[in-house]
Amino acid sequence: MRLGRNLSISSKALVRHPVRTGLAVSGTGVGVAAVLVMVAIGEGARAELVDRVNALGGNLLLVAATQIEPAVGRPGGPALAQTLVPSDATAIVREVPDVEAAAPSIDAPREVTYGRLSLSTSVRAVSPDYERVRNFRTARGRYFTRAEAMDRARVTVLGDRVARTLFGGSDPVGELVRVGRIPFEVIGVLEPRGASAEGGRDEDDQILIPLETGLRRVFNADYVTLLYVKVRDDAPLDRAEARISSLLRERHEVARRAGGDDFRVENQRLVVEASRRTSDTFRRVITGLAAVALVVGGVGTMSVMSLSIRERRSEIGLRVAIGAKRREVRSQFVSEALMLGGAGGFGGLLVGSAVAGAVGRLTAWRTEVSGPAIAIAIVAALAVSLVFGVGPARRAAALDPVDSLRA
């Protein structure tokens, strides 16, 4: 009953000065909106990092051929070393206990044609283990088998973007596409993947073919450019990286020739960790801005409360004179501050949700407005209003009734 009376008195006092109340509410609302957007961006960044880690296929190391300078007298710029071979992947699995599987790969842009439609896309020749190592899954059809890889079968699995570009909404499984002049039977379509962690390439804009088929018929090569190495879950990546480097230096006889390593080992979790640090830095900046906005909103609440107390001194004095206790006066003005914070919090939620949605649609940042984000924003609004409203409420409760009535 007493709480209802306090809220009724406070709401009438706030409605009596709509402009002043609106400014205080908007200040808190801006702070709440900033907090909500900050948390939404942070949640989106964390979710994206989890997706990227899962997309890598677990504990992944990437062994890549390095660039080498051309021999003296030969034209052209740096080229990739041609010393990384499929048998290196077999040796890594056999001689490094920390490794579960390895998939050699070579890729290059090629023209892919279906009927009268054609596009330039990445043609990637991979081993059958590539599906397991990279955690690739087919949305339609299947992946090629080891028997097909050994027989150098002309089969292919299309990336999602390639399938949609060439076939629209129809099912491409069983159709023939041409890589250059070579026909390949489509046996599957990959699930959408988006950008990869190593270099940000679009993994939907590619087709996969068996490694031996690609080396013999498409690339005319006996080397590969990448080895995807899946490390056992219970093995440290740093240890596996050191053992792989030592093995490849021995196999490639690095010590006998000048120029250093002809390969490099990349720890993909370091890439994800760098992205996480960048995201954390951005979140700290946003948090600082949100805190400033909330403080501004709190100052607005304190100003409104101070003006309200000055204008209502006679009312406060009369209530105390007829028996109202000072804690009742204090609770009334605290409830008034909380009403300002609640209104600002609700408005901030609406604005913040709209801004977070716009950020997710118009930028590359992923945003997620979750239940915890909404709770954090509301609690922040009420906490700031309470902190900045307690001071004026205590001053109101401390007013002398005789002086207040005389004023």
Side-chain angles (χ1 to χ4, degrees), residues 265-398:
V265 182
E266 298 178 1
N267 188 332
Q268 292 302 294
R269 287 193 177 274
L270 295 180
V271 177
V272 175
E273 182 66 20
S275 299
R276 187 191 63 79
R277 288 196 297 269
T278 302
S279 174
D280 289 344
T281 300
F282 182 76
R283 286 182 60 199
R284 284 193 290 269
V285 173
I286 295 293
T287 301
L289 295 176
V292 171
L294 281 173
V295 169
V296 171
V299 171
T301 299
M302 185 172 60
S303 301
V304 169
M305 298 296 299
S306 298
L307 288 174
S308 179
I309 291 169
R310 182 176 300 177
E311 293 174 353
R312 295 158 62 188
R313 288 185 64 186
S314 57
E315 173 194 330
I316 296 170
L318 180 60
R319 289 188 62 186
V320 174
I322 62 177
K325 297 181 179 180
R326 296 189 183 274
R327 68 169 178 270
E328 295 175 355
V329 176
R330 186 166 54 247
S331 64
Q332 176 189 332
F333 285 96
V334 168
S335 63
E336 192 169 315
L338 291 176
M339 288 181 66
L340 288 172
F346 181 75
L349 285 179
L350 297 180
V351 174
S353 299
V355 172
V359 169
R361 289 191 300 271
L362 302 178
T363 70
W365 294 334
R366 176 175 172 179
T367 57
E368 290 189 0
V369 179
S370 59
I374 294 175
I376 290 173
I378 290 293
V379 170
L382 295 178
V384 168
S385 299
L386 182 62
V387 169
F388 283 88
V390 166
R394 293 181 63 181
R395 287 198 300 272

